[in-house]
Amino acid sequence: MTLVSALRRASVAAILFLGASAAQASVAFHVTVTTERVNKPGVKTSLPARTTQESDVVLGEQYLSVRDGKALSVLDFATRRRHVIDMAASTYDTYSLFDVAGFRVFELRHRQGIAGMLKAGGLEQHATLPVYEEQALSVLDNKRRGALQPQLLDGAVLWSLDEQPLLRLGIAGSPVSGDDATAFAQYLRYSWGGHPLVLKLLADGKRIPADFTLHYEEVGGKVARHFRVSALTAGAPATYSLAAYRPRPLAADAPPLERVLAQAALLPPLSPQAHPALRAEAEKLFAAEKPFEAFLTMLEDHFSTGALVEKLSLQQQRAMQECQPIHDLTRGLQAKDKEGIADALATVQELRKQTGLEQPVLALFEGNLRAKLGQWSEATALYLQVLQAKPQMAAVYQDLGDALLAQFDAPNAWRSWNAGRAMAPSLRQFRKVNDLERSLLNDYPAFFADAKAVQPSTSRPASSTKTEGSTNLP
């Protein structure tokens, strides 16, 4: 079969894939996934009892693509990016691969917390078994697991863990290289989940099975996903190109979050003159006997450029020491308990009334205090207010990303963090997300394919929408 016919058979737009050589070619196939749900008695849900999804998959060199109708997702493991393409509109959005693994880990901890609360309330029978959380998210819950146990069936093998069925594997399949089998497991990991032990079993098998079933368990009942692989062909392209598509333009009615992140992706790094300009503004405020305003300006400088508050004259130091609003602010920001944080919030709100609600540093501090109180939507609104006025105040993108992740919006969390790091990569506020990415690479290397060395994120997203369809979790 020729390369062109193979691509046509796999229903992947030929214009997307350019310059692939036969020597580098990998495999493509069609997959039909039928999902069947059996709900517990009394459970009401809008989810249908049976659904079917058709997809075309290409396993290339350091990337894989999945096409569902007019939507095409490309996971690029060399750059750790994923592109979500609207083929009808010829546009795409770009995200970081880290947001998938990061979300899965965050979600697992969330589910563990819910299970702990149910157990404490004597309702552990309503909690999903940990092995099925691992099956849904493809991450382990830190408990040591035994080996998968096989059971021979008629023409298949049922693999179970802790006496729970996870994989029914048919005998029929196509032999492939170890790399292609690993890539097939990677497709499952990102698209449908799969227990890490199940995915390793499939990767080590060096074949792509013709039919198999993954079993899941939800709070409302049981789910079985039946996979049928067909039209498997060699000669799929090893590389891809986005040349036929353009970044999705910003809609006229785009919400503030989308506007802020879209603008941030286009901003250049800070000018070397940013620090001298802000420090000069602070000097003018000191000269005008406005030490509090000067202090806030120096903080804005720090949050934008990373510059420290230093080289103050004795007169400036004395003016700051005698400034009561500075003492009120710094004392409030050091509060640890809930009552102290609530008092600090009231203090900052009063200072904002006196100074002006548009003052960016005080708005940032109010957002941080609200975040400490778990008021994530209010904190997000304040961060966006700051960034709309001061789009190059780089440290705010760290706080915005934290707030978005707390609201389970991992794709936009990484977009925010990446925007800030692109502006000021050495800013100390980004150490936390840098450490998070290093831990994901170290603890969950399978999500990053050939990630053998720790590298900074190279994701620079152009735009964003919700990534429905990029991860299909039960």
Side-chain angles (χ1 to χ4, degrees):
M1 181 176 292
T2 66
L3 175 60
V4 173
S5 62
L7 285 176
R8 186 177 294 117
R9 177 74 178 224
S11 301
V12 179
I15 197 168
L16 174 69
F17 303 102
L18 304 175
S21 68
Q24 296 174 309
S26 193
V27 299
F29 56 88
H30 183 83
V31 59
T32 302
V33 183
T34 302
T35 299
E36 296 180 339
R37 300 178 183 275
V38 179
N39 295 322
K40 295 178 180 177
V43 171
K44 295 182 179 179
T45 177
S46 60
L47 295 172
R50 181 184 176 93
T51 59
T52 299
Q53 180 172 318
E54 306 282 348
S55 302
D56 295 293
V57 181
V58 175
L59 308 178
E61 298 289 332
Q62 296 187 319
Y63 88 94
L64 66 85
S65 72
V66 182
R67 178 177 174 178
D68 304 316
K70 296 295 184 180
L72 176 64
S73 296
V74 180
L75 308 183
D76 187 327
F77 298 101
T79 63
R80 295 178 190 150
R81 298 178 182 178
R82 58 191 182 91
H83 309 289
V84 180
I85 301 167
D86 182 340
M87 301 189 71
S90 296
T91 61
Y92 67 90
D93 296 306
T94 297
Y95 304 91
S96 171
L97 272 188
F98 282 105
D99 68 51
V100 179
F103 172 78
R104 301 279 186 92
V105 174
F106 188 74
E107 173 66 10
L108 180 63
R109 293 171 183 168
H110 174 67
R111 296 187 186 189
Q112 288 172 329
I114 292 177
M117 289 187 287
L118 290 173
K119 184 176 181 180
L123 300 172
E124 60 265 28
Q125 70 272 19
H126 296 289
T128 305
L129 294 173
V131 69
Y132 282 115
E133 304 289 18
E134 297 170 337
Q135 174 87 330
L137 301 170
S138 299
V139 294
L140 298 174
D141 74 347
N142 297 323
K143 180 180 179 181
R144 181 179 293 276
R145 298 288 178 195
L148 290 169
Q149 297 299 316
Q151 177 186 352
L152 294 178
L153 303 175
D154 184 18
V157 178
L158 180 65
W159 293 91
S160 300
L161 186 62
D162 295 347
E163 300 182 348
Q164 302 302 318
L166 295 180
L167 170 68
R168 183 187 186 280
L169 185 60
I171 295 176
S174 301
V176 294
S177 69
D179 288 343
D180 287 338
T182 298
F184 178 77
Q186 190 72 297
Y187 149 69
L188 291 176
R189 176 178 287 107
Y190 273 88
S191 297
W192 301 103
H195 195 283
L197 293 179
V198 166
L199 297 177
K200 184 178 187 303
L201 174 74
L202 292 171
D204 291 345
K206 294 186 179 181
R207 72 186 185 104
I208 293 180
D211 65 272
F212 60 99
T213 299
L214 291 177
H215 296 276
Y216 307 82
E217 182 182 292
E218 301 175 345
V219 173
K222 295 183 180 297
V223 176
R225 287 201 169 96
H226 309 285
F227 294 77
R228 188 175 74 253
V229 176
S230 59
L232 191 146
T233 61
T239 59
Y240 73 94
S241 170
L242 296 175
Y245 307 96
R246 59 192 175 94
R248 182 176 56 83
L250 188 68
D253 59 347
L257 174 61
E258 181 60 26
R259 290 187 174 278
V260 164
L261 294 182
Q263 175 182 250
L266 302 175
L267 289 174
L270 278 173
S271 165
Q273 299 304 313
H275 167 58
L278 285 167
R279 188 53 190 264
E281 177 63 24
E283 293 294 331
K284 291 179 182 179
L285 291 167
F286 274 124
E289 298 183 350
K290 296 182 178 181
F292 185 55
E293 289 78 358
F295 175 62
L296 294 177
T297 300
M298 288 186 292
L299 288 176
E300 179 185 340
D301 184 12
H302 171 67
F303 294 140
S304 300
T305 69
L308 300 177
V309 178
E310 57 185 2
K311 297 182 180 179
L312 298 174
S313 68
L314 291 177
Q315 183 178 0
Q316 291 170 342
Q317 294 178 41
R318 188 177 302 112
M320 291 180 62
Q321 291 168 359
E322 296 172 354
C323 181
Q324 189 60 42
I326 292 179
H327 289 293
D328 293 340
L329 177 62
T330 54
R331 182 173 58 252
L333 295 177
Q334 293 172 0
K336 302 296 183 183
D337 60 276
K338 187 173 182 180
E339 182 179 352
I341 294 170
D343 290 341
L345 178 60
T347 297
V348 171
Q349 289 174 322
E350 182 60 32
L351 290 171
R352 290 189 69 202
K353 291 179 182 178
Q354 298 171 10
T355 309
L357 293 177
E358 71 280 359
Q359 213 295 320
V361 173
L362 291 178
L364 169 62
F365 287 155
E366 180 176 343
N368 289 344
L369 291 167
R370 289 187 177 277
K372 289 181 179 180
L373 293 171
Q375 300 173 8
W376 296 111
S377 59
E378 294 87 346
T380 299
L382 285 161
Y383 297 144
L384 292 175
Q385 174 187 323
V386 174
L387 292 171
Q388 285 172 316
K390 300 285 185 179
Q392 288 190 308
M393 201 161 156
V396 185
Y397 292 98
Q398 172 67 49
D399 297 320
L400 175 60
D402 290 349
L404 292 170
L405 185 60
Q407 297 169 86
F408 298 92
D409 188 354
N412 281 329
W414 254 272
R415 289 181 68 206
S416 185
W417 291 330
N418 287 336
R421 285 185 289 183
M423 294 176 196
S426 61
L427 208 63
R428 66 176 180 84
Q429 280 82 356
F430 294 117
R431 293 174 185 171
K432 183 167 63 172
V433 67
N434 292 337
D435 290 342
L436 172 59
E437 289 183 347
R438 277 191 287 268
S439 70
L440 290 173
L441 287 168
N442 181 69
D443 298 339
Y444 307 96
F447 277 91
F448 307 98
D450 61 341
K452 298 177 181 178
V454 175
Q455 302 174 14
S457 172
T458 55
S459 181
R460 174 98 174 163
S463 182
S464 172
T465 57
K466 293 294 182 182
T467 56
E468 182 178 356
S470 63
T471 55
N472 302 289
L473 303 181

